[in-house]
Amino acid sequence: MAILVTGGSGFIGSHTCVQLLDAGREIVVVDNYCNSDPEALARVRELTGKDFKQYDADVRDREALRRIFTENHIEAVIHFAGLKAVGESVQMPIEYFDNNLISTLVLLEVMKEFGCKRLVFSSSATVYGAGNQPPLTEEMPLGAPTNPYGRTKSMIEDILRDLCVADAEFSAVLLRYFNPIGAHPSGRIGENPNGIPNNLMPYVTQVAIGRLPKLSVFGDDYNTPDGTCLRDYIHVVDLARGHLCAVDYAMEHTGAEAINLGTGEGYSVLDLVHTFARVTGVDVPYVIAPRRDGDLPAVYSCPDKAKELLGWETEFGLEEMCRDSWNWQKNNPTGYNK
C-alpha cells in the first residue's frame, strides 16, 4: 500500500517525502520536473536511506497515471503537482488553468477508476482573498483570489467539495498553506527557484550569498508595527509533518475538510530580514520600493483547527527558519546545480 506524491521533487513535496519515508510509509513519486529538479529525490534517498519508485510523467497524461496505478497499490494521494508562481500566472493564465485544473481532473478520474478515495490537496491561503481580517479561520467566507494561481486553488477546492458530496466515501483534506520557508536541517534539500525568486526568503538568501545585489522591500507605509507587510512564515519541515498528519486523517474520515497550516504569528518583512542577519551574521542590503499591486497589509492564520483535527502544531520559529534557509543556500550556492 503506497502513497502517491504528485510533484514530489518540489520544495514542499521533497520535504514531505522525507517525512513519509522516515515514518515508514511506502511512497511513489510522479513529477515532470518543469519547476523542480530530480536531484532533490536523489537527496531524499540519501537522507532517509530508503528507496521508492519514481516516474517522470505529467499528471495530465492519463495513460501514464493509469500505468502508475496499475503497477502500484495506491491507497492515498498527496497532490502537489502544479504551476505555482503568482506573478507568472498573471502573464500566463491559460497555461495555469490548463496545468493545474486539468492535472487535478485527470488525477481524480484515474483515482475513481482504481477505487482510490483518499486525497490531500496542496491548497493556499490565497483562497481567502482580500475581504477577511486576520487571523484567518477556515470558517471565513472565501474571497475572490487576486490572480490566476489563486483562482486555480479555489476552483480545485470547489471541485473536491462537490466530489465529496457526490461520493460519500471520498475524503479530501484541503491544506491551506501560508508562507513556507526554511529547509531541511541537513542543508541537503531546500527551495530551488528557477530564475529570479518570486518569494521573499530565497531572494534574501540569494542577496546574502551575492547572487543578487539587494532586496526590494515593497512598501513601508502599511498599518503594521514597522510599516512592512505581515505574513505567516512556516518552516517547511513543520509543513511537511502536517501532510503526514493529513494523510492519517484522510484514511479515517470522509468528506472535504479545509485546514490551515500556519504558525498563527504575523512577522513583517523587516522582521525576517533583521532576524536573518542576526542569526546568520550576514547582512542583507535592502531598499524600500513602492507598494506592489495586490499585496495585503497582514495575512496570518488561526491554526487551531489543525491542532484539533490533526494533532499538529508547529515546532520551529523564525530563527530556525532563517538558519536552515541559509544553511541550504550556503551549501548549495547555485541550488541543485552544483
Side-chain angles (χ1 to χ4, degrees):
M1 302 281 278
I3 298 166
L4 176 64
V5 184
T6 76
S9 70
F11 176 43
I12 304 170
S14 59
H15 287 81
T16 300
C17 287
V18 169
Q19 292 294 316
L20 291 166
L21 290 166
D22 281 347
R25 309 301 172 87
E26 179 186 351
I27 68 170
V28 175
V29 175
V30 57
D31 205 310
N32 66 359
Y33 312 113
C34 73
N35 53 14
S36 61
D37 194 311
E39 172 63 18
L41 295 178
R43 297 190 185 186
V44 168
R45 292 184 174 91
E46 169 198 313
L47 288 170
T48 63
K50 296 179 180 179
D51 200 9
F52 50 88
K53 287 189 179 179
Q54 174 181 342
Y55 293 83
D56 181 353
D58 192 308
V59 180
R60 292 171 294 182
D61 184 340
R62 189 184 308 271
E63 291 311 310
L65 275 189
R66 281 178 171 153
R67 180 164 67 89
I68 292 169
F69 274 81
T70 298
E71 294 177 358
N72 305 276
H73 188 180
I74 305 296
E75 62 176 342
V77 178
I78 303 178
H79 184 33
F80 293 110
L83 300 177
K84 61 180 182 178
V86 169
E88 183 183 69
S89 77
V90 176
Q91 304 300 319
M92 302 168 51
I94 293 174
E95 290 83 353
Y96 268 69
F97 285 113
D98 176 73
N99 189 295
N100 295 2
L101 295 180
I102 300 304
S103 65
T104 304
L105 290 171
V106 171
L107 174 64
L108 291 173
E109 288 168 353
V110 174
M111 288 176 66
K112 180 179 179 181
E113 182 179 340
F114 285 84
C116 179
K117 298 188 177 186
R118 299 290 179 265
L119 178 73
V120 175
F121 173 57
S122 169
S123 190
S124 166
T126 58
V127 301
Y128 289 110
N132 295 305
Q133 293 300 311
L136 301 174
T137 69
E138 295 85 350
E139 293 72 32
M140 286 179 170
L142 300 186
T146 57
N147 54 76
Y149 162 77
R151 279 189 280 279
T152 67
K153 295 297 187 182
S154 182
M155 293 171 73
I156 292 169
E157 282 201 10
D158 286 340
I159 290 168
L160 292 171
R161 278 188 285 268
D162 287 343
L163 174 58
C164 288
V165 170
D167 184 348
E169 295 180 350
F170 201 91
S171 176
V173 182
L174 319 174
L175 295 181
R176 294 174 180 167
Y177 307 162
F178 280 72
N179 292 75
I181 60 174
H184 194 273
S186 67
R188 295 297 290 157
I189 57 174
E191 190 166 7
N192 186 42
N194 295 327
I196 301 298
N198 291 289
N199 298 325
L200 177 60
M201 181 57 90
Y203 208 106
V204 166
T205 60
Q206 288 193 20
V207 170
I209 207 165
R211 288 176 60 183
L212 295 169
K214 62 181 180 296
L215 171 71
S216 293
V217 176
F218 297 108
D220 65 348
D221 57 351
Y222 290 97
N223 184 24
T224 62
D226 64 17
T228 64
C229 292
L230 300 180
R231 294 294 181 265
D232 190 340
Y233 298 103
I234 176 174
H235 199 296
V236 67
V237 173
D238 279 332
L239 190 65
R241 287 193 305 103
H243 290 77
L244 179 59
C245 297
V247 168
D248 290 341
Y249 181 87
M251 298 304 294
E252 300 296 330
H253 298 82
T254 58
E257 199 71 67
I259 302 176
N260 290 337
L261 291 184
T263 66
E265 298 285 340
Y267 296 104
S268 76
V269 174
L270 292 181
D271 283 336
L272 186 147
V273 171
H274 296 325
T275 301
F276 182 90
R278 177 168 51 82
V279 169
T280 66
V282 181
D283 287 330
V284 178
Y286 68 88
V287 297
I288 303 300
R291 291 185 181 193
R292 290 185 303 190
D293 290 340
D295 274 350
L296 300 176
V299 179
Y300 54 92
S301 70
C302 173
D304 293 351
K305 189 174 181 180
K307 181 178 181 180
E308 177 188 353
L309 297 187
L310 305 183
W312 172 90
E313 292 182 279
T314 57
E315 296 179 356
F316 301 106
L318 190 60
E319 289 189 357
E320 290 90 351
M321 300 179 211
C322 292
R323 178 201 65 204
D324 291 339
S325 294
W326 179 237
N327 189 40
W328 153 256
Q329 186 71 81
K330 72 180 181 180
N331 286 299
N332 303 271
T334 58
Y336 289 114
N337 303 313
K338 61 179 293 187

